[in-house]
Amino acid sequence: NAGVTQTPKFRILKIGQSMTLQCTQDMNHNYMYWYRQDPGMGLKLIYYSVGAGITDKGEVPNGYNVSRSTTEDFPLRLELAAPSQTSVYFCASRQGLSTDTQYFGPGTRLTVL
Amino acid sequence: GIQVEQSPPDLILQEGANSTLRCNFSDSVNNLQWFHQNPWGQLINLFYIPSGTKQNGRLSATTVATERYSLLYISSSQTTDSGVYFCAVVPAYSGAGSYQLTFGKGTKLSVIP
């Protein structure tokens, strides 16, 4: 199993550009998450999904959109990138219960200039 | 929401020394995980430990759920232990929701030769 994979690893955007961060998991997990980590801080939840076709907002959703058309994939879309979105983005997945271990991808480092 | 506090915020150790990292949380939890974020930014699962004690090599963790804290012990530290250690929890009152992990701000550990 590859676990949780993310692409790209690094990206530089100009203000106002758009991009999609890709996330795929091969563990057949129901729950998937997107977090952002700002320098020196813990992770904050952007969006999550409890299954294909079902998504919901987390703590910091503004400026982002998600979709979940399959169990495996959970892309994060940035529209009109802003410098405040400069961060490291982590995707994660869990089987389903609150007691399950959550697994993280390697992260995408995004800089908006 | 639930509060997660980690201490100390920074720790410098000589190689070979032992250390204890603490995580306090403000409410009952049914999921607690310890992560190591290495200097390359990757989040590595260390322990899933909502209660009790676990050991893995030089690392061990204890969670006293009734007193709302968890401890991570690192023995005979090595330079490769450097990085940030995060505690993250899912509150017991989450119910049928996101089951999102709430992260502490981490303990930055530097092990010097």
Side-chain angles (χ1 to χ4, degrees), chain A residues 33 37 94 98-100 102, chain B residues 30-31 33 37 48 98-99:
Chain A
Y33 306 84
Q37 184 182 27
R94 167 191 284 130
S98 63
T99 50
D100 290 332
Q102 190 161 312
Chain B
N30 54 19
N31 185 326
Q33 292 184 237
Q37 188 167 39
Y48 165 73
S98 68
Y99 299 145

Side-chain angles (χ1 to χ4, degrees), chain B residues 4-101:
Chain B
V4 181
E5 295 182 356
Q6 293 186 241
S7 59
D10 294 280
L11 185 59
I12 299 174
L13 292 177
Q14 200 78 36
E15 198 168 24
N18 302 328
S19 63
T20 301
L21 283 58
R22 187 176 180 102
C23 172
N24 292 333
F25 40 95
S26 61
D27 215 322
S28 298
V29 300
N30 54 19
N31 185 326
L32 187 148
Q33 292 184 237
W34 281 98
F35 296 91
H36 174 216
Q37 188 167 39
N38 64 24
W40 295 270
Q42 187 177 6
L43 277 167
I44 300 163
N45 279 304
L46 296 178
F47 294 102
Y48 165 73
I49 186 165
S51 63
T53 298
K54 290 186 178 179
Q55 180 156 6
N56 184 1
R58 297 181 296 103
L59 301 181
S60 64
T62 295
T63 297
V64 183
T66 53
E67 297 188 21
R68 299 181 184 170
Y69 72 88
S70 183
L71 302 174
L72 178 68
Y73 305 97
I74 304 174
S75 64
S76 303
S77 59
Q78 301 175 358
T79 55
T80 52
D81 295 331
S82 295
V84 182
Y85 290 81
F86 288 104
C87 168
V89 303
V90 176
Y93 58 71
S94 285
S98 68
Y99 299 145
Q100 69 178 80
L101 285 169

Side-chain angles (χ1 to χ4, degrees), chain A residues 68-79:
Chain A
R68 183 107 180 262
S69 57
T70 67
T71 299
E72 296 78 18
D73 300 308
F74 190 40
L76 177 72
R77 178 85 177 159
L78 279 72
E79 306 282 1

